[in-house]
Amino acid sequence: MKINNAFVCLIFGIVALSSCRKEYKEIGEVPSKVEGISASWVLQDCAVIDKASIVEETLNITPYFSKGAKMPNIRFQMEGTTGVYQADTTGVLYSFFGGTSGTWQFDNADFPTKLILTPTGSSSSITMPLASTIRPTDTYLKIDQSVLCNDKVVSVYRLTFIRN
């Protein structure tokens, strides 16, 4: 009798546990990264990360940019199949974008890791790794710009933009 009770309890426990399966909801389609970056962005934070020292140190240089009347900003948009950008860096001594306008593209439109800017009138491009992914619902755009010395990264500008 004890064996039958134990067996019945075991079967009841298995049935009870199997009925508690977690249901997964459909999350929908993957958001477009191109739509995610297509907006106006204003610089909110800029930090320099020292990659040459033994211990990486970060220096916030946002106050350097906020001395002007307005913060540097950039607008990404699509014109047909071409991505174009316009940057306003009036009064800023250093432009991260190589110019005030040009074209842009991702290294992979579905799963981008880099933003590639080609300034108008330039044959060379600027490659900026994305510090985080970008979706239409995201408020922040984080990109990095490396500073090289003898083909070695010595520092990185971490630019954080806010959707305007």
Side-chain angles (χ1 to χ4, degrees):
M1 190 84 164
K2 289 182 181 181
I3 294 175
N4 286 341
N5 285 342
F7 183 70
V8 170
C9 287
L10 178 66
I11 295 297
F12 180 72
I14 291 172
V15 170
L17 288 175
S18 66
S19 66
C20 294
R21 279 186 251 154
K22 185 174 184 175
E23 292 184 28
Y24 294 100
K25 294 181 181 179
E26 184 66 32
I27 60 172
E29 298 211 13
V30 177
S32 168
K33 309 311 187 263
V34 173
E35 287 178 20
I37 199 169
S38 297
S40 293
W41 301 92
V42 177
L43 185 69
Q44 182 186 31
D45 187 60
C46 182
V48 179
I49 304 166
D50 184 3
K51 297 285 189 176
S53 66
I54 295 172
V55 177
E56 284 187 10
E57 294 182 2
T58 303
L59 175 65
N60 187 330
I61 61 171
T62 308
Y64 170 78
F65 293 103
S66 62
K67 288 181 182 178
K70 61 183 176 179
M71 296 290 275
N73 59 74
I74 189 165
R75 177 172 179 73
F76 296 101
Q77 60 190 34
M78 292 298 293
E79 289 185 1
T81 58
T82 305
V84 296
Y85 75 90
Q86 293 177 329
D88 182 3
T89 55
T90 305
V92 178
L93 296 176
Y94 182 75
S95 172
F96 296 102
F97 316 115
T100 57
S101 65
T103 60
W104 69 270
Q105 65 184 25
F106 286 131
D107 59 337
N108 179 333
D110 294 325
F111 304 102
T113 60
K114 297 176 185 166
L115 176 64
I116 303 164
L117 303 178
T118 306
T120 301
S122 176
S123 59
S124 62
S125 59
I126 301 167
T127 301
M128 304 173 96
L130 293 170
S132 65
T133 189
I134 184 67
R135 298 166 300 212
T137 57
D138 290 335
T139 306
Y140 298 100
L141 170 65
K142 296 180 181 181
I143 53 180
D144 291 343
Q145 185 178 39
S146 299
V147 177
L148 302 173
C149 182
N150 296 328
D151 295 327
K152 183 178 178 183
V153 176
V154 292
S155 64
V156 172
Y157 288 102
R158 170 78 36 93
L159 307 169
T160 303
F161 293 88
I162 191 165
R163 193 179 296 268
N164 191 10

